[in-house]
């Protein structure tokens, strides 16, 4: 899944780790599962292909964004 992750150290020295799952419009299969096939308003996690994993982790912001649009 496509998800940004970050960690930062607070002033007290504690580390805070966070992440977020990126979603995209649901495909036809997921809309049916969600029971909203008639509306096409569903969302689903963005799933990266094996080919896109390296770009997602080490590419530019523009290259990573392109992984979400195909």
């Amino acid at each position: 899944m496509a998800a940004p992750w970050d960690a930062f150290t607070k002033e007290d020295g504690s580390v805070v780790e966070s992440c977020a799952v990126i979603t995209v419009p649901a495909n036809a299969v997921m809309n049916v599962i969600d029971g909203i096939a008639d509306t096409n308003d569903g969302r689903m996690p963005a799933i990266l292909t094996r080919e896109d994993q390296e770009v997602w982790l080490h590419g530019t912001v523009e290259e990573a964004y392109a992984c979400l649009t195909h």
Side-chain angles (χ1 to χ4, degrees):
M1 291 192 313
W5 172 88
D6 192 23
F8 70 93
T9 304
K10 295 173 33 174
E11 289 182 16
D12 66 4
S14 62
V15 177
V16 176
E17 296 181 81
S18 62
C19 70
V21 175
I22 296 174
T23 64
V24 296
N27 61 25
V29 172
M30 291 306 295
N31 270 331
V32 170
I33 291 172
D34 286 341
I36 54 176
D38 294 336
T39 65
N40 292 323
D41 288 337
R43 306 284 299 170
M44 64 182 250
I47 306 298
L48 299 173
T49 65
R50 287 190 188 277
E51 296 79 23
D52 288 338
Q53 289 176 8
E54 187 66 24
V55 172
W56 180 258
L57 294 172
H58 302 289
T60 66
V61 170
E62 293 79 14
E63 291 169 334
Y65 181 75
C67 295
L68 303 175
T69 59
H70 63 132

